[in-house]
Amino acid sequence: MWWEQDGHLEVRQNQLYIAGFSAEAFAKQYGTPLYVYNGNRVIENFRAVKEAFSEFKARPRIHFAMKANSHIAILKLLEREGAFIDAVSPAEVQIALKAGFPREKILFTGTSVSTPELKALAKLGITINIDSFSQMQRLRDLGFKGDISIRWNPGIGAGLHSHTITAGKFIKFGIPEHKIESAFLQAKAFGFNLVGLHQHIGSGWLGKDVDAFLETVGKTIAIAVKAEELTGKKLKFVDFGGGPGIRYRMEQAGFPLKKYAKGIVEKMNSSGLKAEIAIEPGRFIVGDAGIFLCEINTVEEKNIPVIGVNAGFNDLVRPAFYGSYHEIVVCSNVNGRQKKQYMVAGNLCESSDVFNESREALRELPTPNEGGILAILNAGAYGFAMASNYNSRLLPACVLLLDGRSYLIRERQSLDELIKSERES
Ligand SMILES: Cc1ncc(COP(=O)(O)O)c(C=O)c1O
């Protein structure tokens, strides 16, 4: 199959294997719905990014965007690899600290941040990536005098869905182009130490999007030069955000890591800036390392053939929310010859609750059996991280595979946990 990777995802005797283990055996051992992550693949992806830059003699700060996957066990793996962290909420900062990241390696990029949150972050000594003039004003009112970075909106966005584009006109993030110089002057006047400039134009880009991204790299570098002129201080880093995509479909080409690294390094080298390069990949590091397993409850001809599974968009929302395509695999009959077009439907009371990219886009699959296991591939990023308790469904369990062993890294949520914060009137 196009998605097979030696040592990671393999088909043996028509069965799906991950990191040398049978996916179906995991489903039996740990129950379903279940996320399974190959930790060695996470490490491989991280190292691939590092090596792409080292080819051009650069050592960027690689801030793992933990919004993509915030399991402490995965964060610990990346901490050991030398990662930095991109955190987007105060709780993410706390989780990263718990996972062993020192505060100097955490950059907080929030939006619509409250004053108590700013106060707590300043107290922790976390570098705050400013998203608005209001944030700057409120930090000054708190008597803050520390390091800040500024997120600007370079005016060009890119991403695999309009929901994941984070720069351009109708976008809430960052300081817009026409106000960026006054933001630098404001920071200086308030006595802040401006250490970084940041952009994040969107998530999941491939192909031509990489050219759009490199255009913004040039713009951001020019603005970084301007920041140094206006503040009279050198920046410590220029952060180009996250966004590198992964191959969800056979027709897609993989992410051009070399072109990406080369583009950034060459532009930085020719700018005269001495600042470090920072990037914030999330999906690229964990996306293809995780699969999601669920069990088939029903196989039935309705107006269309429907496979009903014991999971829903509360577990994996990407298809319903973004119309995202995920490969779906019948674990014990991966290459079965008898095939049919199916809707793979979840167990929520919502008609959008399907794992096909839309209700109409039926998926050709080998004949499945009730009680069999389906795997949804490329579920390591924005999978569990976006899971919810909708329909009072319990959060799934998660397993990490590392160096030939499996570890339960997140227990299945219990009904008691679900309702423990409820109070009777
Ligand atoms: C500020 C910031 N940095 C990095 C990322 C990571 O994006 P990706 O997972 O596409 O690399 C995001 C995700 O939207 C983000 O908001």
Side-chain angles (χ1 to χ4, degrees), residues 99-257:
F101 286 88
R103 61 176 183 74
E104 309 77 47
K105 285 188 139 183
I106 302 172
L107 179 66
F108 172 81
T109 299
T111 182
S112 191
V113 186
S114 74
T115 304
E117 286 173 335
L118 288 174
K119 199 170 175 178
L121 291 160
K123 199 160 163 215
L124 283 171
I126 302 296
T127 305
I128 300 172
N129 194 22
I130 298 288
D131 183 66
S132 65
F133 282 88
S134 152
Q135 261 184 42
M136 266 201 276
Q137 185 64 52
R138 286 181 287 127
L139 269 178
R140 189 186 70 158
D141 296 347
L142 291 170
F144 176 84
K145 288 281 174 218
D147 291 352
I148 60 155
S149 156
I150 294 182
R151 176 178 188 166
W152 87 300
N153 174 347
I156 301 168
L160 55 73
H161 186 277
S162 67
H163 290 358
T164 72
I165 294 175
T166 53
K169 184 165 179 197
F170 293 98
I171 292 294
K172 66 176 178 168
F173 299 107
I175 307 284
E177 193 161 5
H178 68 281
K179 290 189 169 174
I180 189 64
E181 292 191 10
S182 39
F184 298 144
L185 294 172
Q186 177 93 278
K188 187 178 176 187
F190 287 176
F192 298 160
N193 189 25
L194 181 68
V195 293
L197 178 67
H198 173 276
Q199 68 159 58
H200 170 67
I201 68 160
S203 187
W205 22 271
L206 290 171
K208 283 209 188 79
D209 288 343
V210 182
D211 298 317
F213 165 75
L214 289 174
E215 196 181 329
T216 63
V217 168
K219 284 185 87 172
T220 294
I221 289 173
I223 294 294
V225 171
K226 195 82 200 161
E228 291 193 346
E229 271 169 34
L230 291 176
T231 61
K233 283 196 177 163
K234 297 284 175 209
L235 295 175
K236 283 194 191 150
F237 63 85
V238 183
D239 188 332
F240 299 103
I246 60 170
R247 206 174 160 210
Y248 285 104
R249 291 172 181 264
M250 184 170 70
E251 312 80 79
Q252 290 172 323
F255 184 73
L257 208 45

Side-chain angles (χ1 to χ4, degrees), residues 280-298:
E280 300 176 340
R283 186 189 314 272
F284 187 85
I285 308 291
V286 287
D288 73 356
I291 62 174
F292 177 65
L293 300 177
C294 51
E295 188 171 329
I296 301 170
N297 288 337
T298 54

Side-chain angles (χ1 to χ4, degrees), residues 43-62:
I43 293 171
E44 240 172 71
N45 289 338
F46 184 83
R47 291 185 184 166
V49 175
K50 208 159 139 182
E51 280 152 24
F53 280 88
S54 68
E55 235 189 89
F56 303 100
K57 303 196 172 27
R59 287 188 59 209
R61 298 177 174 206
I62 307 174

